[in-house]
């Protein structure tokens, strides 16, 4: 039974769904956000450890590399709806911003305000302030949010029919998929909508956790938990034949962190989307032994001892240069999802799905994702803004 009919239905009240609603005035037309969980924006609230690293400083032209292979496809969308636009939008709604040192950004300076800012946060360091700005504007634009409305089916017949788990069916002229990825399923992002899209014949790249800690066989560093190292090169060697870089799936230089169970920190998180269980991961510490923390020096020296107990200097040197392990697993609790709706199926100017009239996909539900540093929320903003533009044009 069809209970209600809408012009536009947004599935998901996460960052991207709310950013879209905040940029699209319904002007009295019927529209609704359907949110399966009981609370909107759970993942946005967790972001940046609750501080919300909303975007990154510098020119938007320098963002493309952060999305790897997807950077070029996202170019137009990012350039048109940039970090500067997002920062100005928040500033105009009373959310003061600060750089990663906590120094306030003066948005009256225009693009200069973002020069060298690095990671950008609300000056209050509270993700709640960012969430409140988006929900307040969405509400001003006439969008109701219906929580506890879990979508269980999607059908394209004379517009769109959306089934809810309680049996209700809702009709819509346009549907925006803003349902996120598969990680942190307790926030409501469980990949269920991606399965529905696949059943419709839309290409879905297998979703898997990314920006996640990596666990290895015979991990020797449990006692170093909490120690972080700068300027480490982390390389993963994927089995994926499509890998472009001479047997390496990805390499990243930056900070790494030892945990009780495995490797974490930005350099590790940023290559995790390319890592696969059973494959090799390499750490090159880019330092002399004496440049490492004392506790690590001890562990490395012990690992370089031969049967007689002598330290083999060549083994020690090779551990410093290429400390190799076999990957046991990648933590399911990745900060984002690699995989999702294939960009090749998308019209990247409008974020609509080719061949499916009135169907849009934005945010983390897309195949693209960025490295740590605010690039994922920027992706949500830019894709949401592009879809909003097209929906405004469509009237
Ligand atoms: C711990 C953590 C820290 C992070 N920190 C940062 C950071 O500082 N900076 C940054 O840029 N990125 C960060 N990210 C990533 C960023 O938060 C996400 O990429 C972003 O929130 C994704 O937004 P989204 O709206 O696309 O998806 P989500 O936020 O996942 O929202 C999707 C929504 O859709 C709903 N939904 C799903 N399926 C259904 C269904 N069947 N029916 C109805 N509703 C449904 C979900 O309940 C959810 O509310 C972090 C992520 C995590 C987990």
């Amino acid at each position: 039974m069809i209970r209600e009919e809408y012009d536009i239905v947004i599935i998901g009240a996460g960052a991207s769904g709310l950013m879209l609603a905040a940029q699209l005035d319904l002007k009295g037309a019927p529209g609704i956000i359907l949110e399966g969980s009981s609370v909107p924006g759970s993942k946005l609230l967790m972001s940046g450890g609750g501080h919300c690293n909303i975007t990154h400083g510098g020119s938007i032209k320098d963002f493309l590399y952060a999305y790897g292979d997807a950077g070029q496809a996202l170019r137009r969308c990012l350039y048109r709806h940039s970090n500067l636009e997002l920062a100005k939008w928040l500033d105009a709604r009373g959310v003061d911003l600060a750089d990663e040192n906590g120094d306030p950004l003066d948005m009256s300076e225009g693009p200069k305000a973002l020069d060298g800012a690095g990671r950008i946060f609300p000056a209050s360091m509270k993700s709640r302030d960012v969430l409140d700005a988006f929900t307040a504007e969405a509400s001003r634009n006439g969008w109701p949010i219906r929580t506890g409305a879990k979508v269980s089916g999607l059908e394209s017949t004379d517009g769109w029919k959306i089934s809810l788990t309680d049996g209700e069916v809702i009709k819509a002229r346009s549907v925006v998929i803003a349902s996120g990825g598969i990680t942190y399923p307790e926030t409501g992002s469980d990949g269920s909508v991606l399965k529905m899209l696949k059943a419709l014949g839309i290409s879905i790249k297998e979703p898997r956790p990314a920006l996640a800690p990596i666990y290895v066989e015979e991990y020797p560093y449990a006692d170093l938990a909490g120690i972080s190292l700068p300027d480490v090169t982390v390389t993963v060697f994927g089995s994926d034949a499509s890998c472009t870089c001479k047997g390496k799936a990805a390499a990243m230089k930056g900070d790494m962190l030892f945990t009780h169970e495995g490797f974490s920190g930005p350099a590790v998180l940023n290559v995790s989307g390319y890592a696969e269980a059973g494959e090799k991961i390499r750490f090159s510490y880019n330092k002399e032994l004496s440049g490492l923390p004392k506790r690590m020096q001890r562990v490395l020296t012990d690992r370089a001892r031969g049967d007689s107990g002598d330290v083999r200097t060549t083994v020690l040197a090779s551990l410093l240069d290429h400390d190799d392990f076999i990957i046991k697993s990648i933590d399911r609790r990745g900060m984002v999802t690699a995989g999702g709706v294939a960009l090749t199926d998308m019209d990247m100017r409008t974020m609509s799905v080719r061949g499916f009239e009135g169907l849009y996909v934005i945010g983390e539900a897309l195949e693209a994702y960025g490295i740590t540093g605010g690039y994922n929320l920027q992706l949500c903003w830019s894709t949401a803004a592009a879809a909003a533009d097209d929906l405004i044009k469509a009237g």
Side-chain angles (χ1 to χ4, degrees), residues 43 45 50 73 81 83 119 122 130 173-174 187 189 191 212 244 254 260 277 393:
K43 211 172 253 185
L45 283 177
H81 304 289
N83 52 343
R119 294 176 300 151
V130 175
R173 194 157 56 86
S174 299
T187 63
S189 314
T244 47
H260 287 291
K393 231 189 279 160

Side-chain angles (χ1 to χ4, degrees), residues 201-239:
I202 295 165
S203 310
I204 304 293
K205 292 274 176 72
E206 190 55 32
R208 57 185 199 284
L211 304 190
I214 296 178
Y215 306 119
V216 297
E217 307 285 355
E218 299 177 32
Y219 178 61
Y221 297 128
D223 288 347
L224 305 185
I227 290 183
S228 74
L229 287 182
D231 299 323
V232 177
T233 307
V234 185
T235 309
V236 291
F237 299 79
S239 59

Side-chain angles (χ1 to χ4, degrees), residues 44-372:
L44 183 60
L45 283 177
M46 308 169 112
S47 66
H51 301 315
C52 188
N53 174 198
I54 184 71
T55 185
H56 208 88
S59 161
I60 194 72
K61 292 192 173 143
D62 297 331
F63 272 47
L64 301 192
Y65 89 98
Y67 304 98
D69 291 345
Q72 277 306 322
L74 289 167
R75 185 167 56 103
R76 181 197 291 249
C77 178
L78 289 165
Y79 285 9
R80 279 181 58 193
H81 304 289
S82 67
N83 52 343
L84 182 61
E85 180 186 271
L86 170 54
K88 277 178 163 170
W89 191 95
L90 286 166
D91 182 66
R93 280 149 191 89
V95 181
D96 295 335
L97 297 171
D99 66 16
E100 59 188 21
N101 301 316
D103 293 332
L105 300 184
D106 179 358
M107 291 314 301
S108 68
E109 291 182 344
K112 236 177 121 244
L114 304 189
D115 278 356
R119 294 176 300 151
I120 293 176
F121 296 86
S124 64
M125 287 290 168
K126 290 189 186 129
S127 43
R128 167 66 63 189
D129 292 347
V130 175
L131 177 61
D132 286 351
F134 290 128
T135 43
E137 197 71 19
S139 169
R140 262 193 292 277
N141 284 341
W143 290 91
I145 302 174
R146 187 165 149 194
T147 52
K150 179 95 180 162
V151 173
S152 57
L154 200 56
E155 205 185 318
S156 159
T157 45
D158 180 26
W160 289 92
K161 266 196 216 161
I162 301 150
S163 309
L164 303 187
T165 44
D166 64 6
E168 188 178 337
V169 178
I170 288 170
K171 217 167 170 297
R173 194 157 56 86
S174 299
V175 179
V176 183
I177 308 296
S179 54
I182 55 160
T183 66
Y184 287 80
E186 68 276 15
T187 63
S189 314
D190 58 4
S192 51
V193 180
L194 293 177
K195 290 186 186 139
M196 294 169 215
L197 298 178
K198 193 171 182 180
L200 288 171
I202 295 165
S203 310
I204 304 293
K205 292 274 176 72
E206 190 55 32
R208 57 185 199 284
L211 304 190
I214 296 178
Y215 306 119
V216 297
E217 307 285 355
E218 299 177 32
Y219 178 61
Y221 297 128
D223 288 347
L224 305 185
I227 290 183
S228 74
L229 287 182
D231 299 323
V232 177
T233 307
V234 185
T235 309
V236 291
F237 299 79
S239 59
D240 182 354
S242 68
C243 286
T244 47
C245 38
K246 294 187 188 139
K248 293 177 196 164
M252 183 68 65
K253 191 172 178 189
D255 293 358
M256 65 159 286
L257 172 74
F258 297 105
T259 73
H260 287 291
E261 293 130 297
F263 298 102
S264 189
V268 173
L269 301 180
N270 289 336
V271 294
S272 61
Y274 302 88
E276 287 180 42
E279 298 299 331
K280 189 166 72 178
I281 183 166
R282 167 169 293 172
F283 297 87
S284 307
Y285 298 113
N286 300 318
K287 285 171 201 64
E288 302 285 323
L289 186 69
S290 57
L292 293 169
K294 285 270 178 315
R295 272 155 68 197
M296 186 173 179
Q297 288 185 32
R298 271 198 297 274
V299 179
L300 280 176
T301 311
D302 283 346
R303 287 178 66 210
R305 280 185 207 286
D307 292 341
S308 63
D310 290 348
V311 177
R312 293 165 298 175
T313 47
T314 46
V315 175
L316 188 54
S318 70
L319 284 176
L320 287 169
D321 184 59
H322 48 268
D323 195 4
D324 291 352
F325 296 92
I326 297 299
I327 297 171
K328 191 164 65 179
S329 61
I330 295 109
D331 198 319
R332 295 295 301 164
R333 291 174 75 78
M335 283 161 69
V336 291
T337 298
V341 175
L343 300 189
T344 46
D345 276 25
M346 299 291 303
D347 177 339
M348 298 299 289
R349 285 167 308 145
T350 60
M351 302 320 298
S352 58
V353 185
R354 287 206 189 91
F356 289 85
E357 202 176 330
L359 183 64
Y360 297 79
V361 184
I362 60 174
E364 205 179 310
L366 291 161
E367 168 195 358
Y369 75 94
I371 58 173
T372 56

